[in-house]
Amino acid sequence: ADYSANLYCVSSTPAPDISSSFFNPNFNYGEFTDSRDGKTYKTTIIGPQKWMAQNLNYESDSSVCYQDYFYSSYCKSLGRLYSFEDAQNACPAGYHLPSKAEFDTLMYFGAIYRNTKNLFSAYNFGDDTYGFSLVMAGSGEGSTFFSGFYDKKQAKKLSYSGAAFLWSSTPKSDSTAYGLYAYKSDVSDTLHVGYSKTSGLWRTYASVRCVNDTAITYSYAGKYGTLMDDRDNQEYKTVEINGVTWMAENLRYRPNDEARCYTYMDSIAKYGCYYQAPFETDSTEPVCPAGWHVSTETDWDNLIKFVGDSAAT
């Protein structure tokens, strides 16, 4: 039998492009162009890493956008959402999906005490101190049982106004993977690493931020000296500034009383120890090697006075 029914036609208004609202107008961003599709992204350097300052908007076979099929222009503002598997190869040449360790480094330099304020864009009530311009693009879910149109249609945005989630390349188990999850509310301002990539018959979709393949090295054009600490055979670079020789690396020596040396996430090789005052007394083991001392206020005053206006650089 033939059936008939009424048909209503509607017109949809394209979502506005609000991507410019996410950036810090007082920050000097770099730029990178993806040779695959010609899209240009702003970049920022935080610690030893160069990051894209926008969510990736490269269209892969299974990527989706917020309210896909209705407002595809949200892709430009918020980037696309990817499954964990799809995210592994989504980044352009010269960039890669960050590992859990690289997210840990980002948090160390850009989100002290795991506070998101310095990473979130002003649009999402952050300070965006380092130009990371994090946005609350949320996450989505799609069926792992069906495929094609049904799968993509179901991968709708779940929490646009509440949180940001970025994939890492590091799996945690068969059904979970690490990622950077950040949210802001009236009572909390929190950032941590960890999320599921699947949940039963549902696949998680999330944003991608790519990090540059080349680490940023901070150095100068002169020649370094060398200090060998005979106590533990640790070797350090040294530099002479205005007639004073400084260690050019943070001290990594562990005193016999290990409570005097705190390490951040077991990263002593990269960042050194955090030492508790008093550093040296008649009853404690010296922190510095023989012939060296903990830098004094006078040492720092003379250094900053000599360097002048370029001290921060």
Side-chain angles (χ1 to χ4, degrees):
D2 292 331
Y3 295 92
S4 31
N6 293 326
L7 178 66
Y8 287 87
C9 297
V10 297
S11 62
S12 60
T13 303
D17 177 14
I18 57 174
S19 54
S20 61
S21 304
F22 298 149
F23 303 126
N24 183 344
N26 301 314
F27 191 82
N28 186 24
Y29 292 93
E31 282 192 346
F32 167 79
T33 299
D34 188 340
S35 60
R36 299 173 297 181
D37 56 13
K39 292 186 177 74
T40 298
Y41 300 87
K42 294 186 183 299
T43 63
T44 181
I45 294 174
I46 303 176
Q49 299 168 329
K50 179 188 285 188
W51 290 86
M52 285 185 177
Q54 297 170 257
N55 291 344
L56 186 66
N57 184 22
Y58 176 70
E59 185 174 1
S60 62
D61 291 340
S62 62
S63 63
V64 296
C65 296
Y66 171 55
Q67 293 192 0
D68 211 358
Y69 294 94
F70 297 100
Y71 300 111
S72 60
S73 53
Y74 269 114
C75 291
K76 185 172 183 181
S77 297
L78 302 175
R80 303 184 71 86
L81 302 177
Y82 303 82
S83 67
F84 176 76
E85 292 77 14
D86 203 25
Q88 303 307 303
N89 300 306
C91 291
Y95 284 77
H96 62 271
L97 191 67
S99 65
K100 177 185 180 295
E102 287 172 316
F103 273 136
D104 287 340
T105 299
L106 172 69
M107 289 192 290
Y108 177 84
F109 284 96
I112 188 169
Y113 305 125
R114 297 182 176 239
N115 189 304
T116 63
K117 188 176 182 180
N118 292 334
L119 296 181
F120 264 117
S121 69
Y123 184 88
N124 287 133
F125 313 108
D127 287 346
D128 204 9
T129 307
Y130 306 108
F132 194 70
S133 305
L134 187 62
V135 293
M136 295 181 185
S139 60
E141 289 185 347
S143 170
T144 61
F145 183 75
F146 296 95
S147 60
F149 177 81
Y150 183 83
D151 185 50
K152 291 185 67 175
K153 188 176 181 181
Q154 293 300 315
K156 56 185 180 290
K157 162 64 190 58
L158 295 180
S159 55
Y160 168 58
S161 62
F165 176 62
L166 308 174
W167 281 126
S168 85
S169 61
T170 308
K172 187 176 182 180
S173 69
D174 290 342
S175 61
T176 62
Y178 291 99
L180 184 147
Y181 177 79
Y183 68 92
K184 295 177 69 69
S185 69
D186 293 337
V187 295
S188 61
D189 185 1
T190 304
L191 183 150
H192 67 270
V193 173
Y195 211 75
S196 64
K197 57 185 178 182
T198 59
S199 178
L201 293 178
W202 295 95
R203 176 184 290 113
T204 302
Y205 286 76
S207 302
V208 164
R209 284 290 182 102
C210 303
V211 64
N212 196 271
D213 292 345
T214 305
I216 306 300
T217 302
Y218 296 96
S219 63
Y220 83 118
K223 180 178 287 188
Y224 286 108
T226 300
L227 163 66
M228 175 64 74
D229 190 340
D230 294 333
R231 299 171 298 180
D232 57 6
N233 294 320
Q234 292 269 3
E235 186 175 295
Y236 301 89
K237 291 182 179 179
T238 64
V239 63
E240 184 176 322
I241 303 174
N242 194 30
V244 177
T245 303
W246 291 77
M247 289 174 58
E249 302 175 66
N250 290 345
L251 186 65
R252 299 184 291 271
Y253 178 68
R254 290 181 181 272
N256 291 327
D257 180 2
E258 292 197 359
R260 298 175 63 203
C261 166
Y262 167 76
T263 60
Y264 179 82
M265 299 179 70
D266 296 325
S267 56
I268 186 171
K270 186 181 292 186
Y271 306 119
C273 266
Y274 292 83
Y275 296 93
Q276 186 178 46
F279 304 112
E280 297 178 9
T281 68
D282 292 340
S283 60
T284 60
E285 177 189 3
V287 172
C288 291
W292 296 73
H293 64 266
V294 176
S295 47
T296 65
E297 183 177 7
T298 300
D299 291 328
W300 283 105
D301 285 344
N302 290 339
L303 175 67
I304 294 171
K305 182 177 180 180
F306 174 75
V307 177
D309 293 338
S310 62
T313 305

